Amino acid sequence: MCVIIDVKMNYFERARYFRTKKRLGQNFLVDGEAIQDIIEFANISPEDTVIEIGPGVGFVTEQLVKHAKKVIAIELDEEAIRELKKLEAPNLEIIHNDVLKTDLSTLCDEKFKIVANIPYYITSPIIAHLLGEVDDLNNKNRNKIKDIILMVQEEVARRIVANENSQNKQYGLLTILSQFWADVEILRLVGRKSFYPAPKVNSALVKLDVRTEPRLKLTDYSHFRRVVKAGFAQRRKNIKNCLLNGGFLKENISRALANVGIDENTRGEKLSIETFGKLSEELLKG
């Protein structure tokens, strides 16, 4: 899909007249090229409904309404909503609410796409709200979502797409939360000067293609979640001690680690999602 946007449109000047609220984590995207890329990466057809989370003053929204059948914008800030209403787009519905308190599955009869420029401090809760936890096998929101385009802090993006071989402690609970129910990739990096006010860190666009089935077939998904949580609870400790501190029995731990072929001194961050799955299954045997 080829999207034509006036990339020289002065979003910065428009954003400058809005009083941003630090408590809401507001940093408005003012880079026309980045906005164009969001629209292209979202691959929106005239039959699509898009739910936009955190539209702010509507710089992305005003492009989304040109391509989608319907755009549902969820915004918490009343002043931002007043700006959104100025778009006067017939296919735009504005919902004044906290997205974490919104049942997205009730907003649209058919499946929808998600586009979001979210406050960085609530990235994990929002991903959990969209996809469900690893043991949430029938999450209402996830069942209605086709795919998700997220603008997040670059460091967070690296954690979302990480694996057990990643550097700098990137691999962890957020990785498994994201990848258990979605295929993930970083689409592009976005510099801090692309926002107003400019944050202290760079950002990245991430795509999550939602899965219809979980990444692993397991006997007990809640047990798997408990094993993973224990494995990352104390990063400096080895997996044996982490599991002991997580309430698992010493004899079961030693047997399970041996059966899966894991050295007791290995740290949890060095175990792949698949290996965690095998370990969980062995620990279940008691």
Side-chain angles (χ1 to χ4, degrees):
M1 179 179 70
C2 182
V3 177
I4 304 298
I5 294 176
D6 182 1
V7 296
K8 295 182 179 179
M9 183 181 291
N10 203 332
Y11 293 110
F12 177 82
E13 286 300 320
R14 292 167 63 188
R16 210 162 55 88
Y17 289 103
F18 185 85
R19 184 171 60 88
T20 57
K21 300 169 182 65
K22 191 173 183 179
R23 65 182 174 81
L24 295 178
Q26 288 179 333
N27 299 95
F28 299 137
L29 183 62
V30 294
D31 182 336
E33 291 185 0
I35 291 172
Q36 177 172 294
D37 284 346
I38 289 174
I39 303 302
E40 289 189 349
F41 286 133
N43 193 26
I44 302 164
S45 77
E47 290 76 43
D48 282 327
T49 294
V50 178
I51 293 181
E52 186 184 10
I53 300 170
V57 291
F59 296 157
V60 175
T61 316
E62 65 187 14
Q63 302 302 328
L64 289 173
V65 295
K66 296 176 183 178
H67 299 279
K69 178 178 73 174
K70 184 175 184 180
V71 176
I72 302 172
I74 303 174
E75 176 58 56
L76 187 59
D77 183 8
E78 291 183 6
E79 291 184 54
I81 286 175
R82 284 197 288 271
E83 294 299 314
L84 288 169
K85 288 180 177 178
K86 293 177 183 178
L87 294 177
E88 296 184 340
N91 60 337
L92 173 62
E93 178 184 350
I94 302 169
I95 295 178
H96 180 201
N97 201 9
D98 180 341
V99 66
L100 295 177
K101 298 176 181 178
T102 305
D103 183 350
L104 304 181
S105 68
T106 64
L107 301 182
C108 180
D109 291 334
E110 68 267 16
K111 286 198 169 188
F112 48 79
K113 292 174 175 280
I114 297 283
V115 172
N117 178 16
I118 58 180
Y120 298 151
Y121 66 94
I122 56 170
T123 300
S124 293
I126 286 181
I127 291 178
H129 186 57
L130 297 179
L131 296 179
E133 296 286 354
V134 296
D135 56 348
D136 190 353
L137 299 183
N138 194 32
N139 183 272
K140 292 188 295 181
N141 289 337
R142 183 183 67 245
N143 288 341
K144 296 289 286 288
I145 298 171
K146 293 179 181 178
D147 52 55
I148 303 166
I149 302 289
L150 287 182
M151 179 75 76
V152 295
Q153 182 179 333
E154 181 184 353
E155 178 187 341
V156 173
R158 301 291 182 195
R159 289 166 57 198
I160 288 173
V161 303
N163 59 44
E164 70 278 11
N165 298 314
S166 297
Q167 303 298 314
N168 303 321
K169 311 294 184 184
Q170 293 170 341
Y171 178 61
L173 293 176
L174 178 60
T175 310
I176 295 177
L177 171 64
S178 303
Q179 295 183 22
F180 203 75
W181 289 107
D183 299 317
V184 302
E185 64 174 318
I186 292 177
L187 300 172
R188 64 160 287 186
L189 302 181
V190 183
R192 63 194 74 182
K193 291 182 180 179
S194 294
F195 297 86
Y196 177 84
K200 296 179 180 179
V201 295
N202 292 326
S203 301
L205 267 181
V206 180
K207 185 174 185 182
L208 296 88
D209 279 316
V210 178
R211 292 169 171 263
T212 55
E213 299 289 336
R215 179 162 171 170
L216 304 179
K217 295 290 186 182
L218 301 169
T219 305
D220 187 331
Y221 289 86
S222 294
H223 185 266
F224 171 75
R225 182 180 176 185
R226 182 184 166 210
V227 171
V228 169
K229 187 175 180 181
F232 288 106
Q234 297 168 296
R235 283 184 175 270
R236 293 186 178 182
K237 295 196 173 186
N238 61 39
I239 187 62
K240 179 180 179 181
N241 287 331
C242 284
L243 291 170
L244 280 171
N245 290 335
F248 294 90
L249 296 177
K250 184 177 181 180
E251 55 270 27
N252 290 347
I253 295 170
S254 297
R255 176 192 52 75
L257 291 174
N259 287 349
V260 180
I262 302 170
D263 188 294
E264 293 184 353
N265 291 315
T266 302
R267 292 182 178 179
E269 65 202 53
K270 293 301 178 183
L271 303 183
S272 69
I273 296 175
E274 286 72 20
T275 301
F276 265 117
K278 293 175 183 177
L279 179 59
S280 176
E281 294 293 282
E282 284 295 327
L283 286 167
L284 269 177
K285 295 177 182 178

